[in-house]
Coordinates of all heavy atoms in Angstrom, one line a residue:
H2 N 155.5 156.8 78.4 CA 155.9 155.6 79.2 C 157.2 155.9 80.1 O 157.4 155.4 81.0 CB 156.3 154.5 78.0 CG 155.2 153.9 77.6 ND1 154.9 153.6 76.2 CD2 154.1 153.4 78.2 CE1 153.8 153.1 76.0 NE2 153.3 152.9 77.1
G3 N 158.0 157.0 79.5 CA 159.2 157.3 80.4 C 158.8 157.9 81.8 O 159.4 157.6 82.7
K4 N 157.6 158.6 81.6 CA 157.2 159.3 82.9 C 156.7 158.1 83.8 O 157.0 158.1 85.0 CB 156.0 160.2 82.6 CG 155.8 161.2 83.8 CD 154.8 162.2 83.4 CE 154.6 163.2 84.3 NZ 153.5 164.1 84.0
I5 N 156.0 157.2 83.4 CA 155.5 156.1 84.1 C 156.7 155.3 84.9 O 156.8 155.1 86.0 CB 154.6 155.1 83.5 CG1 153.4 155.7 83.1 CG2 154.4 153.8 84.1 CD1 152.5 155.0 82.3
R6 N 157.8 155.1 84.0 CA 159.0 154.4 84.5 C 159.6 155.2 85.6 O 160.0 154.6 86.6 CB 159.9 154.2 83.2 CG 160.7 152.9 83.5 CD 161.7 152.7 82.3 NE 160.8 152.4 81.1 CZ 161.0 153.1 80.0 NH1 161.9 154.0 79.8 NH2 160.3 152.8 78.8
Q7 N 159.6 156.4 85.4 CA 160.2 157.3 86.4 C 159.5 157.2 87.7 O 160.1 157.0 88.8 CB 160.0 158.8 86.0 CG 161.1 159.8 86.5 CD 160.9 161.0 85.7 OE1 160.0 161.4 85.2 NE2 162.2 161.6 85.7
I8 N 158.1 157.4 87.6 CA 157.3 157.1 89.0 C 157.7 155.8 89.6 O 157.7 155.6 90.8 CB 155.9 157.2 88.4 CG1 155.6 158.7 88.1 CG2 154.9 156.9 89.7 CD1 154.3 158.9 87.6
V9 N 157.5 154.6 88.7 CA 157.9 153.3 89.3 C 159.2 153.4 90.0 O 159.4 152.8 91.0 CB 157.9 152.2 88.1 CG1 158.4 151.0 88.5 CG2 156.3 152.3 87.6
T10 N 160.2 154.0 89.4 CA 161.5 153.8 90.0 C 161.4 154.7 91.4 O 162.0 154.1 92.4 CB 162.5 154.7 89.1 OG1 162.4 154.2 87.8 CG2 163.9 154.6 89.6
C11 N 160.8 155.8 91.5 CA 160.6 156.5 92.7 C 159.9 155.6 93.7 O 160.4 155.6 95.0 CB 159.8 157.7 92.5 SG 160.6 159.0 91.6
V12 N 158.8 154.9 93.4 CA 158.1 154.1 94.3 C 159.1 152.9 94.7 O 159.1 152.7 96.0 CB 156.9 153.6 93.5 CG1 156.2 152.3 94.5 CG2 155.8 154.5 93.3
L13 N 159.8 152.4 93.8 CA 160.6 151.3 94.4 C 161.7 151.8 95.4 O 162.1 151.2 96.3 CB 161.4 150.7 93.1 CG 160.5 149.8 92.2 CD1 161.2 149.5 90.8 CD2 160.0 148.7 92.9
L14 N 162.2 153.0 95.0 CA 163.1 153.7 96.0 C 162.7 153.9 97.4 O 163.1 153.6 98.4 CB 163.6 155.0 95.3 CG 164.9 155.7 95.9 CD1 166.2 154.7 95.6 CD2 165.2 157.0 95.3
L15 N 161.4 154.4 97.4 CA 160.7 154.6 98.6 C 160.5 153.3 99.5 O 160.7 153.2 100.5 CB 159.3 155.2 98.4 CG 159.3 156.7 98.1 CD1 157.9 157.3 97.7 CD2 159.9 157.5 99.2
M16 N 160.2 152.3 98.5 CA 159.8 150.9 99.3 C 161.2 150.5 99.9 O 161.2 149.8 101.0 CB 159.4 149.9 98.2 CG 158.0 150.2 97.9 SD 157.3 149.2 96.6 CE 157.5 147.6 97.3
A17 N 162.3 150.6 99.2 CA 163.6 150.3 99.6 C 164.0 151.0 100.9 O 164.7 150.5 101.8 CB 164.7 150.5 98.5
L18 N 163.6 152.3 101.0 CA 163.9 153.1 102.3 C 163.0 152.7 103.4 O 163.4 153.0 104.6 CB 163.8 154.6 101.9 CG 164.9 155.1 101.0 CD1 164.5 156.6 100.5 CD2 166.2 155.1 101.5
A19 N 161.9 152.2 103.1 CA 160.9 151.9 104.3 C 161.4 150.8 105.1 O 162.3 149.9 104.6 CB 159.5 151.5 103.5
P20 N 161.0 150.7 106.3 CA 161.6 149.6 107.3 C 161.1 148.3 106.6 O 160.0 148.1 106.1 CB 160.7 149.8 108.6 CG 160.1 151.2 108.5 CD 160.2 151.7 107.1
A21 N 162.0 147.3 106.9 CA 161.6 145.9 106.3 C 160.3 145.4 106.7 O 159.6 145.0 105.9 CB 162.8 145.0 106.6
A22 N 160.1 145.5 107.9 CA 158.8 144.9 108.5 C 158.3 145.9 109.5 O 158.9 146.0 110.6 CB 158.9 143.6 108.9
A23 N 157.1 146.4 109.3 CA 156.5 147.3 110.3 C 156.0 146.5 111.4 O 155.5 145.4 111.3 CB 155.5 148.1 109.6
Q24 N 156.2 147.0 112.7 CA 155.8 146.3 113.8 C 154.3 146.3 114.0 O 153.7 147.4 114.0 CB 156.6 146.9 115.1 CG 156.4 146.1 116.3 CD 157.1 144.9 116.2 OE1 158.2 144.7 115.8 NE2 156.4 143.8 116.7
A25 N 153.6 145.3 114.1 CA 152.2 145.3 114.2 C 151.9 145.8 115.6 O 152.4 145.4 116.6 CB 151.6 143.8 113.9
T26 N 150.8 146.6 115.7 CA 150.4 147.0 117.0 C 149.5 145.9 117.5 O 148.8 145.1 117.1 CB 149.1 148.2 116.7 OG1 149.7 149.1 115.9 CG2 148.8 148.9 118.0
A27 N 149.9 145.8 118.8 CA 149.3 144.6 119.6 C 147.8 144.9 119.9 O 147.4 146.0 120.2 CB 150.1 144.4 120.9
V28 N 147.0 143.8 119.7 CA 145.6 143.8 120.1 C 145.4 142.8 121.3 O 146.0 141.7 121.3 CB 144.7 143.5 118.9 CG1 143.3 143.4 119.4 CG2 144.9 144.4 117.8
P29 N 144.8 143.3 122.5 CA 144.6 142.4 123.5 C 143.8 141.1 123.0 O 143.1 141.2 122.1 CB 143.8 143.1 124.6 CG 143.9 144.6 124.1 CD 144.2 144.5 122.6
D30 N 144.3 140.0 123.7 CA 143.6 138.7 123.4 C 142.1 138.7 123.8 O 141.8 138.9 124.9 CB 144.3 137.7 123.9 CG 143.7 136.2 123.5 OD1 143.3 136.1 122.5 OD2 143.7 135.4 124.5
N31 N 141.1 138.7 122.8 CA 139.8 138.6 123.1 C 139.4 139.5 124.2 O 138.8 139.2 125.2 CB 139.4 137.1 123.5 CG 137.9 136.8 123.4 OD1 137.2 137.6 122.7 ND2 137.5 135.8 124.0
P32 N 139.6 140.8 123.9 CA 139.1 141.8 125.0 C 137.5 141.9 125.3 O 136.8 141.4 124.4 CB 139.5 143.2 124.5 CG 139.4 142.9 123.0 CD 139.8 141.4 122.7
T33 N 137.2 142.4 126.4 CA 135.8 142.8 126.6 C 135.3 144.0 125.9 O 136.0 145.0 126.0 CB 135.5 142.9 128.1 OG1 135.9 141.5 128.8 CG2 134.1 143.1 128.5
V34 N 134.2 143.9 125.1 CA 133.7 145.1 124.5 C 132.3 145.5 125.0 O 131.6 144.6 125.6 CB 133.7 145.0 123.0 CG1 135.0 144.7 122.4 CG2 132.6 143.8 122.6
R35 N 132.0 146.7 125.0 CA 130.9 147.3 125.5 C 129.8 147.6 124.5 O 130.0 148.4 123.6 CB 130.9 148.5 126.4 CG 132.0 148.3 127.5 CD 132.5 149.7 128.1 NE 133.1 150.5 127.1 CZ 133.2 151.8 127.3 NH1 132.9 152.3 128.4 NH2 133.7 152.7 126.2
I36 N 128.7 146.9 124.4 CA 127.7 147.1 123.3 C 126.5 147.6 123.7 O 125.7 147.0 124.6 CB 127.5 145.8 122.4 CG1 128.8 145.1 122.1 CG2 126.7 146.0 121.2 CD1 129.8 145.9 121.3
G37 N 126.1 148.8 123.3 CA 124.9 149.6 123.8 C 123.6 148.8 123.1 O 123.5 148.6 122.0
L38 N 122.7 148.3 124.1 CA 121.5 147.5 123.5 C 120.4 148.6 123.6 O 119.5 148.6 122.7 CB 121.2 146.3 124.3 CG 122.5 145.4 124.5 CD1 121.9 144.1 125.3 CD2 122.8 144.9 123.1
Y39 N 120.2 149.4 124.7 CA 119.1 150.5 124.7 C 119.8 151.7 125.3 O 120.4 151.5 126.4 CB 117.9 149.8 125.7 CG 117.2 148.8 125.1 CD1 117.6 147.4 125.0 CD2 116.0 149.0 124.3 CE1 116.7 146.3 124.4 CE2 115.2 148.1 123.6 CZ 115.6 146.7 123.7 OH 114.8 145.8 123.1
F40 N 119.4 152.7 124.6 CA 120.2 154.0 125.1 C 119.5 155.2 124.4 O 118.6 154.9 123.5 CB 121.7 153.9 124.6 CG 121.8 153.6 123.1 CD1 121.9 154.5 122.0 CD2 121.8 152.3 122.7 CE1 121.9 154.3 120.7 CE2 121.9 151.9 121.3 CZ 122.1 152.9 120.4
G41 N 119.8 156.4 124.8 CA 119.2 157.5 124.3 C 117.7 157.5 124.5 O 117.3 157.3 125.6

Side-chain angles (χ1 to χ4, degrees):
H2 283 134
K4 198 171 186 183
I5 289 174
R6 207 174 298 125
Q7 207 173 24
I8 291 168
V9 171
T10 313
C11 290
V12 170
L13 289 174
L14 193 66
L15 282 173
M16 284 170 70
L18 291 172
Q24 190 65 41
T26 311
V28 179
D30 181 38
N31 202 12
T33 295
V34 296
R35 306 169 302 169
I36 310 302
L38 304 181
Y39 288 85
F40 52 92

